[in-house]
Every structure is written in C-alpha cells, then in structure tokens.
Amino acid sequence: MTDTTLPTSEAPRSRTHLNAGTLVAAAGAVAVAQIGLSIPAVINGYINQDLHLSSTTLTWVSDAFLVPVTLLELSFGVVGDLFGRKNLLAIGAFLMTVGGLLGFFTPEGKVAILLTGQVIAGIGAAAIFPTSVAMLAASTHTVKDRAHALSIWAAALTGAGFISPVIAGVLARIHHSGSEFASWRYAFLAMAVLALLSGVITLLGAQNTAAPEGRSLDWPGQVTIAIALFALLYAVIQGAEDGWGSATVIGGFVVAVLGLIAFVAIERRVSKPLLQLDLFSNRMFTVSAVVTVIGMFAYLGTAYTTSIRLSAIQEYTPLKTSIGFFCLNVMGVVLFPVSSRMLEKYNPGWVLAGGMGLIGIGDLVLAAIPATNLSIGAVAVPLLVIGAGFKIAVTSITVVAVNSVPTNKAGMASGATSMLRDLGLTLGPAIIGAIALTNAANSIQSTLDSTPKLKAAYEGLLAAAKGNPKLEPVAGALQSGPLGQNAIPNPPNPIKDVAFHALSHAYGIGYLVCGIAAVVAALIAAFMLGGRVHNDAFAEEID
C-alpha cells in the first residue's frame, strides 16, 4: 500500500499527529475492555458455587457486561466526536474501575452487587471500544500510519483476550477469607487496577480530538433501540427460568418488536440518525450484516458453552479452565500476521466463508464429545480450529462491510458492523444458555417423574432442609436449576449424576446449534459474497 493521505473529518487547523501517549492510551484501554469482557469465562464455576446462583442468573453475569456494550457503542462514538475523545476514554476506564471494585467487594449471597458492577463496567467498555479507534483514526493521516496504529490496537485487543483467562485462573488460586470458592473476586480486582492505570495514562499522555461537524445525539433512536434489544435479551434469557409462556417473557418479546418498529420509524424521519437505514438497501451489505450476527452468535455461544462445560459441569479449577480458553484464543495471536495478507491475496468474501466454516467444523466436533470425557485434551484441537476460524472471520468482517458500499459510507458501514457484531456476541450466551438450560431442566424432571424412588429421595432432602441451617443452602442450590443441581455432590444430593448427564447432553446441543449457525453463515458468505465483494480497496478498512 502506498503512503496515501486519507480524508479526515477533523478540521485542518486542528489536525493532530499521533504521539506515543495516545497510542499507548488507546491500546491499553481496549486491552482493559477486552479483559473485562473475557473475565467471567474461567470463573463462572466458582461464581456459581460461591454465590449459589440460579442457572439463568449465571448467564446474566456475562450478559450484564455485554448488553451495555451492544446498546451504547454507537452512541458513545457520537459523544466522543461531539465532546472530545480523551476524557471519554478516561471516563470509560474509570467506570470499569468502579465495576471491578464492586465485583471484588461483592458480599456472599449479594449477586445484585456483582451484576451492578458488570453493568457499570460494560458501560465503560462501550465508551472505550469506539473511542479508542476514533482517537487513532483522528491522529493518523496516511494509509501507512493508520494501518500501523490500528495493527497495534488490534494486537492489544487480541493479546488481552489471550491472557485474560490465564490471569483470572492464576488469581483464583489465591486464598480468600470467604468460602472455598470466593477467590473469583481477585480477577475483578485486577481489572479494576488495570482500568485505573489506563485512565491515568489517558489523562496524562493522550491527545484530545473531536469532530462535531455533522454529528448529533439521536436520543429517540438510542432509547428505542436500547429498549428493543434489552427486551429481546431479557425475554430470551429469562425464558429458561420463567417459562416461555409467562407474561414477562411474552411481554419482553412484544416490547422488543414494538421498540424495533419505533426505531425504524424514527430513523427514517430524523435528519441525523443513529443508524442510516439506507445502508441496508445495499444487498451485499445486508448479507454481510446477517453473516456477522450469525457468525458472532456462534463464536461467543461456543465460548459460553465451553465456559459452562469446563467450569460448572466438569468443575475444573479456573486455572485448568483457562487452558481451554488458551486454545480458543491462541490462534488469534498466531494468525495475526497471516490474516491481513490473506485478505490482500484472496477475495474477502471467500475468506469470511472459510473462517465461519472452521468455526462450524470445530463446533460440530465438540458436539460429539460428551462432558463425561473429562480430558482437556479432548476439546483442545476443536477449540484451536474454532479460534483460527474466528480470527480469520473477524478480520474479514469489516473489510467485507466497507468494500460492499461506496467509499463515502465506509465509516458508517464499519460502525454499523461493530454494533451488529456485538449484538451477535451478546445473543450467543443468551440463546445458548436458554436452549441448554431448558433442555437440561426438562430432562431432569422427566427422569424424576419416571423414577419414583429417586424423586422421593430428592423431595425428602428438600423437606428435611426446611428449618435446617446446614441443609438450607443445599436446598437453595438444588432449586436454583440444573447447574445448582450439578454443583452439590452426592451425598447429600441424590440427583447429582442425573444433572451431570442432562447438562452434558444439553450443552452438547449448544455446540450443535453454534456449529449449524456457523455453517449457515459460511454458506451464505460463500454463495452471496464470494466473488462479489472485490478487494480492490483493502485500505478502505481503515478509512
């Protein structure tokens, strides 16, 4: 690529040139945001056993962070343009500090404090992800400089996803004065300390940039899309616990539909919409958007299923669980120099299809390996394949999106793709958790109904627990859902083995769903994008 000057929305007189402080601040902030996103993966089992959560609440531990990122990322991009990116990046880091401290100081039995911390940290990450990219783009004015800066940003993101599970696993080995499993809190303390350091570095070393021309906050659009997406996710997650026919779940789906209709109506009428819907009149962009949502759903659904399988079903320690996530993330580091060259050499539509195909193959293999196989080696190779597929796919998603629209809409297409990518990531744990937990609960109940002796022993334990301080926590865990029923050993839990096998089968279905979704995304990309999205302007990825 030649050292061509890139167009910029910054006024010429206010142009800044990238300094080391800004680069370090942006890379450090996005690393912290990715660490926050990744932390629950290896400690879900300890969180479940320490706080005695319902199966659905455990899903919320991950999604409480992801939902704000999905809902607010586009709006924070506008806020940074209007009011300055340096302070917004620092505020995002400090919010993650507060969220991490709330997680660390969560008292026993007070899951609401942990969830509040996750929401606050997620809001901080929603500010960091778009702002860190915009700061680098605003301070680089040639293809070469911007490519170099964004490569470092991407390396920080990938590296954080790679080391975060290991850090959480190691810290969970430190003794905590609480219960046997209370050491999960140290991972959130580490996030808080790193986020605080990131905020200080940003304030001391980063340059401030803004681009308010032509930008405005579309509050009606933001409120309606936030309501629609939150209602959808709430209904999907709670359906497994409240029942799919319950008033709250049906109401959630109704609110989601009405909110989405209102959002479309508003965006068609405002002069400066949050999301310009005419992007979707471009068939290639629409297809790439569908592939993005399906593919990212498959990937994080896989990560969530792996987290539950290793930590909550097989009851691996956080450090041993981190081996699985090492396998899932290491290919992002290994393939980092390769993926961009693949996109330069081959049509990006075919590259995207290949990445999705690898995710699908890995998931289908995992679906055939029951949790009764306790060896970490059994899942290592499929996870490596999925990690390679994800790296290839996620690198090509933005290229496919921006190359399918005119150059003057490339930035907007990139922003919309980021929102859709995060929506897919958020839907992964929500939908897979709902499918697996519903299936496991039905299987356990069916076994109890068909085995009177086992049912009598189970109900006898629950009856004996009433008024018994030693057994009341056991009864609470057993009544919390399939994961709680698997967490209590036998004795005293007579349905431990039933719950284990039900969860093994149910989360095998989770892998199967993710695999089918990834294969569908690969086929769509191959037939609808392969050979059609041309790579004659690879540099537009960073425009």
Side-chain angles (χ1 to χ4, degrees), residues 39-52:
I39 273 178
V42 301
I43 55 176
N44 269 327
Y46 272 30
I47 293 173
N48 184 48
Q49 290 175 296
D50 181 51
L51 299 181
H52 308 297

Side-chain angles (χ1 to χ4, degrees), residues 41-46 49 165 302-328 366 369-371 373-380 383 483 486 500 503 507 511:
V42 301
I43 55 176
N44 269 327
Y46 272 30
Q49 290 175 296
T302 302
Y304 170 77
T305 303
T306 301
S307 170
I308 298 300
R309 172 184 168 128
L310 299 182
S311 66
I313 300 175
Q314 297 181 317
E315 298 180 346
Y316 284 4
T317 65
L319 186 58
K320 189 173 181 182
T321 300
S322 72
I323 297 173
F325 284 88
F326 175 90
C327 295
L328 193 61
L366 286 172
I369 304 173
N373 186 335
L374 298 177
S375 170
I376 188 68
V379 298
L383 289 174
L483 292 175
N486 180 67
F500 178 84
L503 286 166
Y507 280 91
Y511 280 128

